[in-house]
Amino acid sequence: YMGHSIGAIEGNVLSINTAYFAPDHWGLGRGAPSGVQKRVNERYTLSEDGSMLELEYTFYDPEYLLESVTESGKLLLNPGYVMEEWNCDLESARRHLSVE
């Protein structure tokens, strides 16, 4: 359902290529459906000092997109971050798996 991924590490970069997704009306998670030709390329680059991770995702789907879409961002290391516990309503979460 979520495709087949192959990744490789070269230096401080992790690259992941995913294909063979099942068609899905949720698509990119923003209301755009996706087809069987969808591919996603992910690139994660760790800074030299290990304090930042740069992210880049490129989505290709010739069935639904006129051109590729690239999203990017950065994650900063916060050693003092305290994880919070959340009470998850499993029934509400499951609704997203069964919508036609």
Side-chain angles (χ1 to χ4, degrees):
Y1 184 75
M2 298 296 292
H4 175 77
S5 300
I6 297 175
I9 296 175
E10 189 171 317
N12 63 337
V13 178
L14 168 63
S15 298
I16 303 170
N17 297 308
T18 305
Y20 304 110
F21 289 90
D24 182 17
H25 64 276
W26 287 99
L28 299 175
R30 296 188 175 166
S34 65
V36 296
Q37 297 178 64
K38 180 173 85 172
R39 293 180 294 120
V40 179
N41 294 339
E42 304 168 62
R43 185 175 172 91
Y44 302 88
T45 305
L46 184 63
S47 65
E48 291 297 321
D49 66 359
S51 67
M52 182 177 60
L53 188 62
E54 292 186 55
L55 318 167
E56 184 177 282
Y57 307 97
T58 302
F59 300 89
Y60 306 88
D61 190 343
E63 186 176 351
Y64 292 101
L65 299 174
L66 294 175
E67 57 187 38
S68 64
V69 174
T70 299
E71 300 277 338
S72 61
K74 297 178 182 180
L75 297 174
L76 300 174
L77 177 65
N78 182 352
Y81 182 79
V82 177
M83 295 291 288
E84 296 180 37
E85 185 174 326
W86 291 79
N87 292 323
C88 178
D89 178 6
L90 292 178
E91 194 55 41
S92 293
R94 283 189 186 103
R95 285 187 290 184
H96 294 286
L97 299 176
S98 61
V99 176
E100 292 294 322

Coordinates of all heavy atoms in Angstrom, one line a residue:
Y1 N 0.8 -1.2 0.0 CA 0.0 0.0 0.0 C 0.9 1.3 0.0 O 0.6 2.2 -0.7 CB -0.9 0.0 1.2 CG -1.9 1.1 1.2 CD1 -3.0 1.2 0.4 CD2 -1.7 2.2 2.1 CE1 -3.9 2.2 0.4 CE2 -2.6 3.3 2.1 CZ -3.7 3.3 1.3 OH -4.5 4.3 1.3
M2 N 1.9 1.3 0.8 CA 2.8 2.4 1.0 C 4.0 2.4 0.0 O 4.9 3.2 0.1 CB 3.3 2.6 2.4 CG 2.2 2.8 3.4 SD 1.3 4.3 3.2 CE 2.5 5.5 3.6
G3 N 4.0 1.5 -0.9 CA 5.1 1.4 -1.9 C 6.2 0.6 -1.4 O 6.2 0.0 -0.3
H4 N 7.2 0.5 -2.3 CA 8.4 -0.3 -2.0 C 9.6 0.7 -2.1 O 9.8 1.4 -3.0 CB 8.6 -1.4 -3.1 CG 9.9 -2.1 -3.0 ND1 10.1 -3.1 -2.0 CD2 11.1 -2.0 -3.6 CE1 11.3 -3.6 -2.1 NE2 11.9 -2.9 -3.1
S5 N 10.4 0.7 -1.0 CA 11.4 1.7 -0.8 C 12.8 1.1 -0.9 O 13.0 0.0 -0.3 CB 11.3 2.5 0.5 OG 10.1 3.1 0.6
I6 N 13.7 1.8 -1.5 CA 15.1 1.4 -1.5 C 15.9 2.6 -1.2 O 15.7 3.7 -1.7 CB 15.5 0.9 -2.9 CG1 14.8 -0.4 -3.3 CG2 17.1 0.6 -3.0 CD1 15.0 -0.9 -4.7
G7 N 16.8 2.4 -0.2 CA 17.6 3.5 0.3 C 19.1 3.3 0.2 O 19.5 2.1 0.1
A8 N 19.9 4.3 0.3 CA 21.3 4.2 0.2 C 21.9 5.4 1.0 O 21.4 6.5 1.0 CB 21.9 4.3 -1.2
I9 N 23.0 5.1 1.7 CA 23.7 6.2 2.4 C 25.1 6.4 1.7 O 25.8 5.5 1.4 CB 24.0 5.7 3.9 CG1 22.7 5.6 4.6 CG2 24.9 6.8 4.6 CD1 22.8 5.0 6.0
E10 N 25.3 7.7 1.5 CA 26.6 8.1 0.9 C 27.1 9.3 1.6 O 26.5 10.4 1.6 CB 26.4 8.4 -0.6 CG 27.7 8.6 -1.3 CD 27.4 8.8 -2.8 OE1 26.7 8.0 -3.4 OE2 28.1 9.7 -3.4
G11 N 28.1 9.1 2.4 CA 28.6 10.2 3.2 C 27.6 10.6 4.3 O 27.2 9.7 5.1
N12 N 27.2 11.8 4.3 CA 26.2 12.2 5.3 C 24.8 12.4 4.8 O 23.9 13.1 5.3 CB 26.6 13.6 6.0 CG 26.7 14.7 5.0 OD1 26.8 14.5 3.8 ND2 26.6 15.9 5.4
V13 N 24.5 11.7 3.6 CA 23.2 11.8 2.9 C 22.6 10.4 2.8 O 23.2 9.5 2.4 CB 23.4 12.4 1.5 CG1 22.1 12.4 0.8 CG2 24.1 13.8 1.6
L14 N 21.3 10.4 3.3 CA 20.5 9.2 3.1 C 19.5 9.5 2.0 O 18.7 10.5 2.1 CB 19.7 8.9 4.4 CG 18.6 7.8 4.3 CD1 19.1 6.5 3.9 CD2 17.9 7.7 5.6
S15 N 19.5 8.7 0.9 CA 18.5 8.9 -0.2 C 17.6 7.7 -0.2 O 18.1 6.5 -0.1 CB 19.3 9.0 -1.5 OG 20.1 10.1 -1.5
I16 N 16.3 7.9 -0.3 CA 15.3 6.9 -0.4 C 14.4 7.1 -1.6 O 13.9 8.2 -1.8 CB 14.4 6.8 0.9 CG1 15.3 6.7 2.1 CG2 13.4 5.7 0.8 CD1 14.6 6.9 3.4
N17 N 14.3 6.1 -2.4 CA 13.4 6.1 -3.6 C 12.3 5.1 -3.4 O 12.5 3.9 -3.1 CB 14.2 5.8 -4.9 CG 15.2 6.8 -5.1 OD1 15.0 8.0 -5.1 ND2 16.4 6.4 -5.3
T18 N 11.0 5.6 -3.5 CA 9.9 4.7 -3.3 C 9.0 4.7 -4.5 O 8.7 5.8 -5.1 CB 9.1 5.2 -2.0 OG1 9.9 5.3 -0.9 CG2 7.9 4.2 -1.7
A19 N 8.5 3.5 -4.9 CA 7.6 3.4 -6.1 C 6.7 2.2 -5.7 O 6.7 1.7 -4.6 CB 8.4 3.0 -7.3
Y20 N 5.8 1.9 -6.7 CA 4.8 0.8 -6.6 C 3.8 1.1 -5.5 O 3.5 0.2 -4.7 CB 5.5 -0.5 -6.4 CG 6.5 -0.9 -7.4 CD1 7.9 -0.9 -7.2 CD2 6.1 -1.1 -8.7 CE1 8.8 -1.1 -8.2 CE2 7.0 -1.4 -9.7 CZ 8.3 -1.4 -9.5 OH 9.2 -1.7 -10.4
F21 N 3.4 2.3 -5.4 CA 2.3 2.7 -4.5 C 1.0 2.1 -5.0 O 0.8 2.0 -6.2 CB 2.1 4.2 -4.3 CG 3.2 4.9 -3.6 CD1 4.4 5.3 -4.3 CD2 3.2 5.1 -2.3 CE1 5.4 6.0 -3.6 CE2 4.2 5.7 -1.6 CZ 5.3 6.2 -2.3
A22 N 0.1 1.8 -4.1 CA -1.3 1.5 -4.4 C -2.0 2.8 -4.8 O -1.7 3.8 -4.1 CB -2.0 0.8 -3.3
P23 N -2.9 2.8 -5.7 CA -3.7 4.1 -6.0 C -4.4 4.5 -4.7 O -4.9 3.6 -4.0 CB -4.6 3.7 -7.1 CG -4.5 2.3 -7.4 CD -3.4 1.7 -6.6
D24 N -4.5 5.8 -4.5 CA -5.1 6.2 -3.2 C -5.8 7.6 -3.4 O -5.2 8.5 -4.0 CB -4.0 6.3 -2.2 CG -4.4 6.7 -0.8 OD1 -5.6 6.7 -0.5 OD2 -3.6 7.1 0.0
H25 N -7.0 7.7 -2.9 CA -7.6 9.0 -3.1 C -7.1 10.1 -2.1 O -7.3 11.2 -2.3 CB -9.2 8.9 -2.9 CG -9.6 8.4 -1.5 ND1 -9.6 7.1 -1.2 CD2 -9.9 9.1 -0.4 CE1 -10.0 7.0 0.1 NE2 -10.2 8.2 0.5
W26 N -6.3 9.6 -1.1 CA -5.7 10.6 -0.1 C -4.5 11.2 -0.7 O -4.0 12.2 -0.4 CB -5.4 9.9 1.2 CG -6.6 9.7 2.0 CD1 -7.2 8.5 2.1 CD2 -7.3 10.6 2.8 NE1 -8.3 8.6 3.0 CE2 -8.4 9.9 3.4 CE3 -7.2 11.9 3.1 CZ2 -9.3 10.5 4.3 CZ3 -8.1 12.5 4.0 CH2 -9.1 11.8 4.5
G27 N -3.8 10.4 -1.6 CA -2.7 10.9 -2.4 C -1.6 11.5 -1.5 O -1.0 10.8 -0.7
L28 N -1.3 12.8 -1.7 CA -0.2 13.4 -1.0 C -0.6 13.9 0.3 O 0.1 14.6 1.0 CB 0.3 14.6 -1.9 CG 0.9 14.3 -3.2 CD1 1.2 15.5 -4.0 CD2 2.1 13.4 -3.1
G29 N -1.8 13.6 0.8 CA -2.3 14.0 2.1 C -2.9 15.4 2.0 O -3.2 16.0 3.1
R30 N -3.0 16.0 0.9 CA -3.5 17.4 0.7 C -4.7 17.4 -0.2 O -4.9 18.4 -0.9 CB -2.4 18.3 0.2 CG -1.3 18.4 1.2 CD -0.3 19.4 0.8 NE 0.7 19.5 1.9 CZ 1.8 20.2 1.8 NH1 2.1 20.7 0.6 NH2 2.6 20.2 2.8
G31 N -5.4 16.3 -0.3 CA -6.6 16.3 -1.1 C -6.4 16.0 -2.5 O -7.3 16.0 -3.3
A32 N -5.2 15.7 -2.9 CA -4.9 15.3 -4.3 C -4.7 13.8 -4.4 O -3.9 13.2 -3.6 CB -3.6 16.0 -4.8
P33 N -5.4 13.1 -5.2 CA -5.3 11.6 -5.3 C -3.9 11.3 -5.9 O -3.2 12.1 -6.4 CB -6.4 11.2 -6.2 CG -6.7 12.4 -7.0 CD -6.4 13.6 -6.2
S34 N -3.5 10.0 -5.8 CA -2.3 9.6 -6.4 C -2.6 8.3 -7.1 O -3.5 7.5 -6.8 CB -1.2 9.4 -5.4 OG -1.5 8.4 -4.5
G35 N -1.8 8.0 -8.2 CA -1.9 6.8 -9.0 C -0.8 5.8 -8.8 O 0.1 6.0 -8.1
V36 N -0.9 4.8 -9.6 CA 0.1 3.7 -9.5 C 1.5 4.1 -10.1 O 2.4 3.4 -9.8 CB -0.4 2.4 -10.3 CG1 -1.6 1.9 -9.6 CG2 -0.6 2.7 -11.7
Q37 N 1.6 5.2 -10.8 CA 2.9 5.7 -11.3 C 3.6 6.6 -10.3 O 4.7 7.1 -10.6 CB 2.7 6.4 -12.6 CG 2.1 5.5 -13.7 CD 1.9 6.3 -15.0 OE1 2.9 6.8 -15.6 NE2 0.7 6.4 -15.4
K38 N 3.0 6.9 -9.2 CA 3.6 7.8 -8.2 C 4.9 7.3 -7.7 O 5.1 6.1 -7.5 CB 2.7 8.0 -7.0 CG 3.3 9.0 -6.0 CD 2.3 9.3 -4.9 CE 2.3 8.3 -3.8 NZ 1.5 8.7 -2.6
R39 N 5.9 8.2 -7.6 CA 7.2 7.9 -7.1 C 7.6 9.0 -6.1 O 7.2 10.2 -6.3 CB 8.3 7.8 -8.2 CG 8.2 6.7 -9.1 CD 9.3 6.7 -10.2 NE 9.2 7.9 -11.0 CZ 10.1 8.8 -11.2 NH1 11.2 8.7 -10.5 NH2 9.9 9.8 -12.0
V40 N 8.3 8.7 -5.1 CA 8.8 9.7 -4.1 C 10.3 9.5 -3.9 O 10.7 8.4 -3.7 CB 8.0 9.6 -2.8 CG1 8.6 10.6 -1.8 CG2 6.5 9.7 -2.9
N41 N 11.0 10.6 -4.0 CA 12.4 10.6 -3.7 C 12.6 11.4 -2.5 O 12.2 12.6 -2.5 CB 13.2 11.2 -4.9 CG 13.2 10.3 -6.1 OD1 12.8 9.1 -6.1 ND2 13.4 10.9 -7.3
E42 N 13.3 10.9 -1.5 CA 13.6 11.6 -0.2 C 15.1 11.7 -0.1 O 15.8 10.8 -0.5 CB 13.0 10.7 0.9 CG 11.6 10.4 0.9 CD 11.2 9.4 1.9 OE1 11.3 9.7 3.1 OE2 10.7 8.3 1.5
R43 N 15.5 12.8 0.5 CA 16.9 13.1 0.7 C 17.1 13.7 2.1 O 16.4 14.7 2.4 CB 17.4 14.0 -0.4 CG 18.9 14.2 -0.4 CD 19.3 15.0 -1.6 NE 20.7 15.4 -1.5 CZ 21.7 14.8 -2.0 NH1 21.5 13.6 -2.6 NH2 22.9 15.2 -1.9
Y44 N 17.9 13.1 2.9 CA 18.1 13.5 4.3 C 19.6 13.8 4.4 O 20.4 12.9 4.2 CB 17.7 12.5 5.3 CG 16.2 12.1 5.2 CD1 15.8 11.1 4.4 CD2 15.3 12.7 6.0 CE1 14.5 10.7 4.3 CE2 14.0 12.4 5.9 CZ 13.6 11.3 5.0 OH 12.3 11.0 4.9
T45 N 20.0 15.1 4.7 CA 21.4 15.4 4.8 C 21.7 15.9 6.2 O 21.1 16.9 6.7 CB 21.7 16.6 3.8 OG1 21.3 16.1 2.5 CG2 23.2 16.9 3.8
L46 N 22.6 15.2 6.9 CA 23.0 15.5 8.2 C 24.1 16.6 8.2 O 25.1 16.4 7.4 CB 23.5 14.3 9.0 CG 23.8 14.4 10.4 CD1 22.6 14.9 11.3 CD2 24.4 13.1 11.0
S47 N 24.0 17.6 9.0 CA 25.1 18.7 9.0 C 26.3 18.1 9.6 O 26.3 17.0 10.3 CB 24.6 19.9 9.8 OG 24.4 19.5 11.2
E48 N 27.5 18.7 9.3 CA 28.8 18.2 9.7 C 28.8 18.1 11.3 O 29.4 17.1 11.8 CB 29.9 19.2 9.3 CG 30.1 19.1 7.8 CD 30.6 17.8 7.3 OE1 31.4 17.1 8.0 OE2 30.1 17.4 6.2
D49 N 28.2 19.0 12.0 CA 28.2 18.9 13.5 C 27.1 18.0 14.1 O 27.0 17.9 15.3 CB 28.2 20.3 14.1 CG 27.0 21.0 13.9 OD1 26.0 20.5 13.2 OD2 26.9 22.2 14.4
G50 N 26.2 17.5 13.2 CA 25.2 16.6 13.7 C 24.0 17.3 14.3 O 23.1 16.7 14.9
S51 N 23.9 18.6 14.2 CA 22.9 19.4 14.9 C 21.7 19.7 14.0 O 20.7 20.2 14.5 CB 23.5 20.7 15.4 OG 23.8 21.5 14.4
M52 N 21.8 19.4 12.7 CA 20.7 19.7 11.8 C 20.5 18.6 10.8 O 21.5 18.1 10.3 CB 20.9 21.1 11.1 CG 19.8 21.5 10.2 SD 20.1 23.1 9.5 CE 21.6 22.9 8.6
L53 N 19.3 18.4 10.4 CA 18.9 17.4 9.4 C 18.1 18.2 8.3 O 17.1 18.7 8.6 CB 18.1 16.3 9.9 CG 17.9 15.1 9.0 CD1 19.2 14.4 8.6 CD2 17.0 14.1 9.7
E54 N 18.7 18.3 7.1 CA 17.9 18.9 6.0 C 17.1 17.9 5.3 O 17.7 16.8 5.0 CB 18.9 19.6 5.0 CG 19.6 20.8 5.6 CD 20.4 21.6 4.6 OE1 19.9 22.0 3.6 OE2 21.6 21.7 4.9
L55 N 15.9 18.1 5.0 CA 15.0 17.2 4.3 C 14.6 17.7 3.0 O 14.3 18.9 2.8 CB 13.7 17.0 5.2 CG 13.9 16.9 6.7 CD1 12.5 17.0 7.3 CD2 14.5 15.6 7.0
E56 N 14.4 16.8 2.0 CA 13.9 17.2 0.7 C 13.1 16.0 0.2 O 13.6 14.9 0.1 CB 15.0 17.6 -0.3 CG 14.5 18.1 -1.6 CD 15.6 18.5 -2.5 OE1 16.1 19.7 -2.3 OE2 15.9 17.7 -3.4
Y57 N 11.9 16.3 -0.2 CA 11.0 15.2 -0.8 C 10.5 15.7 -2.1 O 10.1 16.8 -2.3 CB 9.7 15.0 0.1 CG 10.0 14.8 1.5 CD1 9.9 15.8 2.5 CD2 10.3 13.5 2.0 CE1 10.1 15.5 3.8 CE2 10.5 13.2 3.3 CZ 10.4 14.3 4.2 OH 10.7 14.0 5.5
T58 N 10.6 14.8 -3.1 CA 10.1 15.2 -4.5 C 9.1 14.1 -4.9 O 9.4 12.9 -4.8 CB 11.3 15.2 -5.5 OG1 12.2 16.2 -5.1 CG2 10.7 15.6 -6.9
F59 N 7.9 14.6 -5.2 CA 6.8 13.7 -5.6 C 6.6 13.7 -7.1 O 6.6 14.8 -7.7 CB 5.5 14.1 -4.9 CG 5.6 14.1 -3.4 CD1 6.0 15.2 -2.8 CD2 5.2 13.0 -2.7 CE1 6.1 15.2 -1.4 CE2 5.3 13.0 -1.4 CZ 5.7 14.1 -0.7
Y60 N 6.5 12.6 -7.8 CA 6.2 12.5 -9.2 C 5.0 11.7 -9.3 O 4.9 10.6 -8.7 CB 7.4 11.8 -9.9 CG 8.7 12.3 -9.7 CD1 9.5 11.9 -8.6 CD2 9.3 13.3 -10.6 CE1 10.8 12.4 -8.5 CE2 10.5 13.8 -10.4 CZ 11.3 13.4 -9.3 OH 12.5 13.9 -9.1
D61 N 4.0 12.1 -10.1 CA 2.8 11.3 -10.4 C 2.2 11.8 -11.7 O 1.4 12.7 -11.7 CB 1.8 11.4 -9.2 CG 0.7 10.4 -9.4 OD1 0.5 9.9 -10.5 OD2 0.0 10.1 -8.4
P62 N 2.7 11.3 -12.8 CA 2.2 11.8 -14.1 C 0.7 11.7 -14.3 O 0.1 12.4 -15.1 CB 3.0 11.0 -15.1 CG 3.4 9.8 -14.4 CD 3.6 10.2 -13.0
E63 N 0.0 10.8 -13.6 CA -1.4 10.7 -13.7 C -2.2 11.9 -13.1 O -3.2 12.3 -13.6 CB -1.9 9.4 -13.0 CG -3.3 9.1 -13.2 CD -3.7 7.7 -12.7 OE1 -2.9 7.0 -12.2 OE2 -4.9 7.5 -12.6
Y64 N -1.6 12.5 -12.0 CA -2.3 13.5 -11.3 C -1.6 14.9 -11.2 O -2.1 15.9 -10.9 CB -2.7 13.1 -9.9 CG -3.8 12.0 -9.9 CD1 -3.5 10.7 -9.7 CD2 -5.1 12.3 -10.2 CE1 -4.4 9.7 -9.8 CE2 -6.1 11.4 -10.2 CZ -5.7 10.1 -10.0 OH -6.7 9.1 -10.0
L65 N -0.3 14.9 -11.5 CA 0.5 16.1 -11.4 C 1.1 16.5 -12.7 O 1.6 15.6 -13.5 CB 1.7 15.9 -10.4 CG 1.4 15.5 -8.9 CD1 2.6 15.2 -8.2 CD2 0.6 16.7 -8.3
L66 N 1.0 17.8 -13.1 CA 1.6 18.2 -14.3 C 3.1 18.3 -14.3 O 3.8 18.1 -15.3 CB 1.1 19.7 -14.6 CG -0.4 19.8 -14.9 CD1 -0.8 21.2 -15.1 CD2 -0.8 19.0 -16.1
E67 N 3.7 18.4 -13.1 CA 5.1 18.4 -12.9 C 5.4 17.9 -11.5 O 4.5 17.8 -10.7 CB 5.7 19.8 -13.2 CG 5.2 20.9 -12.3 CD 5.7 22.3 -12.7 OE1 5.8 22.5 -13.9 OE2 5.9 23.0 -11.7
S68 N 6.7 17.6 -11.3 CA 7.0 17.1 -9.9 C 6.8 18.2 -8.9 O 6.8 19.4 -9.2 CB 8.5 16.6 -9.9 OG 9.3 17.7 -10.2
V69 N 6.7 17.8 -7.6 CA 6.5 18.7 -6.5 C 7.6 18.4 -5.5 O 7.8 17.3 -5.1 CB 5.1 18.6 -5.9 CG1 5.0 19.4 -4.6 CG2 4.0 18.9 -6.8
T70 N 8.3 19.5 -5.1 CA 9.4 19.3 -4.1 C 9.0 20.1 -2.8 O 8.7 21.3 -2.9 CB 10.7 19.7 -4.7 OG1 11.0 18.9 -5.8 CG2 11.8 19.6 -3.6
E71 N 9.2 19.4 -1.7 CA 9.0 20.1 -0.4 C 10.3 19.9 0.3 O 11.0 18.9 0.2 CB 7.9 19.4 0.4 CG 6.6 19.4 -0.2 CD 5.8 20.6 0.1 OE1 6.1 21.3 1.1 OE2 4.9 20.9 -0.7
S72 N 10.7 20.9 1.1 CA 11.9 20.8 1.9 C 11.8 21.5 3.3 O 10.8 22.2 3.5 CB 13.1 21.5 1.1 OG 12.8 22.9 0.9
G73 N 12.7 21.2 4.1 CA 12.7 21.7 5.5 C 13.9 21.3 6.2 O 14.8 20.6 5.7
K74 N 14.0 21.8 7.5 CA 15.1 21.5 8.3 C 14.6 21.1 9.7 O 13.6 21.6 10.2 CB 16.0 22.7 8.5 CG 16.7 23.1 7.2 CD 17.5 24.4 7.4 CE 18.1 24.8 6.0 NZ 18.9 26.0 6.2
L75 N 15.3 20.1 10.3 CA 15.0 19.7 11.7 C 16.3 20.0 12.5 O 17.4 19.7 12.1 CB 14.7 18.2 11.8 CG 13.5 17.7 11.0 CD1 13.4 16.2 11.1 CD2 12.2 18.4 11.6
L76 N 16.1 20.7 13.6 CA 17.2 21.0 14.5 C 17.2 20.1 15.7 O 16.2 19.9 16.3 CB 17.1 22.5 14.9 CG 17.2 23.5 13.8 CD1 16.9 24.9 14.3 CD2 18.5 23.4 13.0
L77 N 18.4 19.7 16.1 CA 18.6 18.9 17.3 C 18.3 19.7 18.5 O 18.8 20.8 18.7 CB 20.0 18.3 17.4 CG 20.3 17.5 18.6 CD1 19.5 16.2 18.6 CD2 21.8 17.2 18.6
N78 N 17.5 19.2 19.4 CA 17.1 19.8 20.7 C 17.4 18.8 21.8 O 16.4 18.1 22.2 CB 15.7 20.4 20.7 CG 15.4 21.1 22.0 OD1 16.1 21.1 22.9 ND2 14.2 21.7 22.0
P79 N 18.6 18.7 22.3 CA 18.9 17.6 23.3 C 18.0 17.7 24.6 O 17.8 16.7 25.2 CB 20.4 17.9 23.7 CG 20.9 18.8 22.6 CD 19.7 19.5 22.0
G80 N 17.5 18.9 24.9 CA 16.7 19.0 26.1 C 15.2 18.8 25.9 O 14.4 18.9 26.8
Y81 N 14.8 18.4 24.7 CA 13.4 18.2 24.4 C 12.8 17.0 25.2 O 13.4 15.9 25.2 CB 13.2 17.9 22.9 CG 11.8 17.7 22.5 CD1 10.9 18.8 22.3 CD2 11.2 16.5 22.3 CE1 9.6 18.7 22.0 CE2 9.9 16.3 21.9 CZ 9.1 17.4 21.8 OH 7.8 17.3 21.4
V82 N 11.7 17.2 25.8 CA 11.0 16.2 26.5 C 9.8 15.7 25.7 O 9.0 16.4 25.4 CB 10.6 16.7 27.9 CG1 9.8 15.6 28.7 CG2 11.8 17.2 28.7
M83 N 9.8 14.4 25.4 CA 8.7 13.8 24.7 C 7.5 13.9 25.5 O 7.5 13.6 26.7 CB 9.0 12.3 24.3 CG 10.2 12.1 23.4 SD 9.8 12.7 21.7 CE 8.7 11.5 21.1
E84 N 6.3 14.2 24.9 CA 5.1 14.3 25.6 C 4.3 13.0 25.3 O 4.3 12.5 24.1 CB 4.3 15.5 25.1 CG 5.0 16.8 25.5 CD 4.2 18.0 25.0 OE1 2.9 17.9 25.1 OE2 4.8 19.0 24.6
E85 N 3.5 12.6 26.2 CA 2.6 11.5 26.0 C 1.2 12.0 25.5 O 0.7 13.0 26.1 CB 2.4 10.6 27.3 CG 1.6 9.4 27.1 CD 1.6 8.5 28.3 OE1 2.6 8.5 29.0 OE2 0.6 7.9 28.5
W86 N 0.7 11.4 24.5 CA -0.6 11.8 24.0 C -1.6 10.6 24.1 O -1.2 9.4 23.8 CB -0.5 12.2 22.5 CG 0.2 13.5 22.3 CD1 1.6 13.6 22.4 CD2 -0.4 14.7 22.1 NE1 1.9 14.9 22.2 CE2 0.7 15.7 22.0 CE3 -1.7 15.2 22.0 CZ2 0.5 17.0 21.8 CZ3 -1.8 16.6 21.8 CH2 -0.8 17.4 21.7
N87 N -2.8 10.8 24.5 CA -3.8 9.8 24.5 C -4.4 9.8 23.1 O -5.1 10.7 22.7 CB -4.9 10.1 25.6 CG -4.3 9.9 27.0 OD1 -3.5 9.1 27.2 ND2 -4.8 10.8 27.9
C88 N -4.2 8.7 22.4 CA -4.7 8.5 21.1 C -6.0 7.7 21.1 O -6.1 6.7 21.7 CB -3.7 7.8 20.2 SG -4.2 7.5 18.5
D89 N -7.0 8.3 20.4 CA -8.3 7.6 20.2 C -8.1 6.7 19.0 O -8.2 7.1 17.9 CB -9.4 8.6 20.1 CG -10.8 7.9 19.8 OD1 -10.9 6.7 19.9 OD2 -11.7 8.7 19.6
L90 N -7.9 5.4 19.3 CA -7.6 4.4 18.2 C -8.8 4.4 17.2 O -8.6 4.2 16.0 CB -7.3 3.1 18.7 CG -6.0 2.9 19.5 CD1 -5.8 1.5 20.0 CD2 -4.8 3.3 18.6
E91 N -10.0 4.5 17.6 CA -11.2 4.4 16.7 C -11.2 5.6 15.8 O -11.4 5.4 14.6 CB -12.5 4.3 17.5 CG -13.7 3.9 16.7 CD -13.5 2.6 15.9 OE1 -12.9 1.7 16.5 OE2 -13.9 2.5 14.8
S92 N -10.8 6.8 16.3 CA -10.8 7.9 15.4 C -9.6 7.8 14.4 O -9.8 8.1 13.2 CB -10.5 9.2 16.2 OG -11.7 9.5 17.0
A93 N -8.5 7.3 14.8 CA -7.4 7.1 13.9 C -7.7 6.1 12.8 O -7.2 6.2 11.7 CB -6.1 6.6 14.7
R94 N -8.4 5.0 13.2 CA -8.8 4.0 12.2 C -9.7 4.5 11.1 O -9.7 4.0 10.0 CB -9.4 2.8 12.9 CG -8.5 1.9 13.6 CD -9.2 0.7 14.1 NE -8.3 -0.1 14.9 CZ -8.3 -0.2 16.2 NH1 -9.3 0.5 16.9 NH2 -7.5 -0.9 16.9
R95 N -10.4 5.6 11.3 CA -11.3 6.1 10.3 C -10.6 6.5 9.0 O -11.1 6.3 7.9 CB -12.1 7.3 10.8 CG -13.2 6.9 11.8 CD -14.0 8.1 12.1 NE -13.2 9.0 13.0 CZ -13.6 10.1 13.5 NH1 -14.9 10.5 13.3 NH2 -12.8 10.8 14.2
H96 N -9.4 6.9 9.2 CA -8.6 7.3 8.0 C -8.2 6.1 7.1 O -7.8 6.3 6.0 CB -7.4 8.2 8.4 CG -7.8 9.4 9.0 ND1 -8.2 10.5 8.3 CD2 -7.8 9.8 10.3 CE1 -8.5 11.5 9.1 NE2 -8.3 11.2 10.3
L97 N -8.2 5.0 7.7 CA -7.8 3.8 7.0 C -8.9 3.1 6.2 O -8.7 2.3 5.3 CB -7.2 2.7 7.9 CG -6.0 3.2 8.7 CD1 -5.5 2.1 9.7 CD2 -4.8 3.5 7.7
S98 N -10.2 3.5 6.5 CA -11.3 2.8 5.9 C -12.2 3.7 5.0 O -13.2 3.3 4.5 CB -12.2 2.2 7.0 OG -12.7 3.3 7.9
V99 N -11.7 5.0 4.8 CA -12.5 5.9 4.0 C -12.3 5.5 2.5 O -11.2 5.2 2.0 CB -12.1 7.3 4.2 CG1 -12.8 8.2 3.2 CG2 -12.3 7.7 5.6
E100 N -13.4 5.4 1.8 CA -13.4 5.0 0.4 C -13.3 6.2 -0.5 O -13.9 7.2 -0.4 CB -14.6 4.2 0.0 CG -14.6 2.8 0.6 CD -13.4 1.9 0.1 OE1 -13.1 2.0 -1.0 OE2 -12.9 1.2 1.0

